[in-house]
Each structure stands twice: as C-alpha cells, then as structure tokens.
C-alpha cells in the first residue's frame, strides 16, 4: 500500500485484509484492510467485497476510509468525508485485492488529504 498524505509519499511496511460475514443486511460480507508504518496503524478501510468505484463518505453502504496520525482517538483519526475507493480486483476465492484510493478525512476540527493511493494485497484472514 502506498499513498500521499498532505503531499508526502508514504509506503506502508505491512498490511493485512480480513474478509468477514457481518450477518446484518444489507452489508453481510465486508472487508477490512489495515496498513502499518513503523509498527503503527496508519490506514484502515471498510468496504464491500465487490469490484467498482465507491464514494469514500464514511458509511458502510459505500466505503469508510480512515487515516491515522497517532493513537489519540478521536483527534488523530481522520475519517473519510469525500473521495473514492476503486476496486479493480476483489477476488475472494483467490484472496486478491487491487485498488486505488483518495480521500479527504476529518476529525471534526481539522482535515487531511490522502491522494495517489494504491493497494495490491492478499486477503489474509477469513472469519
């Protein structure tokens, strides 16, 4: 996973994706992706396991993307208010995800811009 946060390029050290069954209509199956830099979680995504372009509006109906600058909730958590997540590959059988993303995130008092995001990872856990 790579992206630009406020114009600065960042490449995550590691990431994992979890496919799970929520069991609550209309969401049922969802994917969570977590990305880490220097052992600290920096990105968290929640989305449906199907290809397409989703609005990053901070809802489970579309895509909920979060950029984290620290561990002080809610001050360091920038939840998506606009942007997109485009899943070009979301193969739950072969366990592969490929996507691009960009979003503006807000913590209520300030905002951050995440641009030029790409991910190419494997689903590492199924629940």
């Amino acid at each position: 996973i790579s992206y630009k946060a406020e114009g600065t390029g960042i490449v995550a050290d590691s990431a994992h994706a979890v496919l799970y069954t929520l069991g609550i209509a209309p969401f049922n199956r969802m994917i969570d992706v977590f990305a880490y830099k220097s052992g600290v979680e920096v990105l968290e995504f929640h989305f449906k396991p199907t290809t397409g372009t989703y609005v990053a509006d901070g809802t489970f109906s579309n895509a909920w993307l979060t950029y984290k600058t620290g561990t002080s909730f809610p001050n360091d958590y920038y939840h998506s208010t606009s942007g997109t997540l485009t899943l070009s590959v979301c193969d739950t059988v072969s366990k592969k995800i490929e996507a691009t993303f960009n979003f503006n995130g807000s913590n209520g008092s300030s905002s951050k811009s995440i641009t030029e995001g790409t991910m190419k990872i494997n689903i590492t856990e199924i629940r």
Side-chain angles (χ1 to χ4, degrees):
I1 295 179
S2 66
Y3 59 97
K4 286 187 177 180
E6 296 293 303
T8 300
I10 298 170
V11 177
D13 297 330
S14 63
H16 73 275
V18 179
L19 171 66
Y20 62 95
T21 301
L22 191 58
I24 300 171
F27 308 112
N28 295 319
R29 294 179 80 199
M30 297 291 286
I31 293 180
D32 289 349
V33 173
F34 306 91
Y36 302 87
K37 183 72 176 173
S38 301
V40 176
E41 186 179 317
V42 291
L43 290 173
E44 184 173 326
F45 301 151
H46 306 282
F47 55 89
K48 293 178 265 186
T50 55
T51 58
T53 298
Y54 298 94
V55 176
D57 61 0
T59 68
F60 290 110
S61 297
N62 290 303
W64 187 318
L65 314 180
T66 301
Y67 172 61
K68 299 179 180 183
T69 59
T71 57
S72 176
F73 181 81
N75 296 336
D76 297 338
Y77 288 54
Y78 295 84
H79 300 292
S80 57
T81 56
S82 65
T84 58
L85 170 68
T86 300
L87 292 159
S88 55
V89 175
C90 191
D91 187 333
T92 59
V93 176
S94 296
K95 300 179 182 177
K96 300 205 180 295
I97 299 170
E98 292 183 26
T100 58
F101 59 90
N102 67 78
F103 66 96
N104 290 314
S106 174
N107 68 0
S109 60
S110 65
S111 62
K112 299 285 184 185
S113 176
I114 306 302
T115 58
E116 300 179 40
T118 62
M119 86 168 73
K120 187 175 182 179
I121 62 173
N122 292 325
I123 296 171
T124 54
E125 185 178 344
I126 298 177
R127 295 185 190 168

